Amino acid sequence: MTFEKSLINHMAPTLCGIKPGSLFTMRDNVFISSLAMKWQKKVKDYDIELEFFRLSDHSVMFFAYNKAKIAEIINDRKVMAYLKRKNFPADGNIRKSVDELIHRLKYSGGFPHEVGIFLGYPLADVVLFEKNGGKNCKFCGY
């Protein structure tokens, strides 16, 4: 699959307004930095931000998100309290919250459960998934 087909395929739920955010990885043999930067600019016209960073020697992680939808989610009183307990910025600032999420994805050595909030999962589901250590869920992974 080409870079652009892969990118569009993975971002589709966010581009179409179905999900507030999409998180995916791409292997180096598909990733093209110059095209990623073009798409970063292109999707801004649709209130979509596209972040990408090196995840390993062989892959790049992307996080595409709708700014308005993420703002609505993280400004919810209960979500804000949850994120504050997880040491996220508690001021509703999207940029700070996304930066913290990306930092955790890059450096935590694991996969932060709070990512579910940014992908549109209900808070109760995120909390239970974390509490149960990912066990007893209907589906895990992608």
Side-chain angles (χ1 to χ4, degrees):
M1 188 178 293
T2 67
F3 170 80
E4 288 183 317
K5 282 184 181 179
S6 181
L7 187 72
I8 291 167
N9 198 29
H10 288 297
M11 284 182 17
T14 301
L15 286 171
C16 294
I18 297 168
K19 290 178 59 181
S22 299
L23 186 70
F24 54 95
T25 58
M26 192 178 288
R27 305 276 307 162
D28 274 349
N29 63 336
V30 177
F31 176 70
I32 302 170
S33 180
S34 60
L35 284 178
M37 288 186 282
K38 273 186 184 175
W39 274 92
Q40 218 173 16
K41 291 176 186 165
K42 197 180 283 193
V43 297
K44 283 184 183 282
D45 292 340
Y46 303 96
D47 203 27
I48 304 288
E49 293 290 327
L50 179 62
E51 310 281 343
F52 59 94
F53 55 91
R54 178 132 317 266
L55 188 62
S56 72
D57 290 340
H58 306 289
S59 65
V60 174
M61 180 167 274
F62 287 83
F63 178 48
Y65 63 96
N66 180 298
K67 289 182 349 185
K69 288 187 178 197
I70 293 294
E72 185 179 325
I73 291 167
I74 68 171
N75 283 299
D76 175 86
R77 186 179 51 80
K78 289 179 182 179
V79 170
M80 196 177 281
Y82 169 79
L83 291 174
K84 185 176 182 178
R85 285 193 307 274
K86 304 300 265 172
N87 297 314
F88 270 75
D91 59 1
N93 184 300
I94 301 166
R95 180 76 262 152
K96 288 182 193 174
S97 295
V98 169
D99 285 347
E100 179 62 27
L101 176 66
I102 289 171
H103 178 81
R104 291 174 189 214
L105 288 165
K106 286 168 93 170
Y107 303 112
S108 72
F111 206 77
H113 294 291
E114 51 275 16
V115 74
I117 296 295
F118 295 85
L119 300 177
Y121 290 95
L123 177 60
D125 290 357
V126 172
V127 170
L128 280 173
F129 187 84
E130 183 176 10
K131 180 181 174 185
N132 294 327
K135 306 278 189 257
N136 303 320
C137 60
K138 291 185 185 211
F139 183 76
C140 184
Y142 66 97

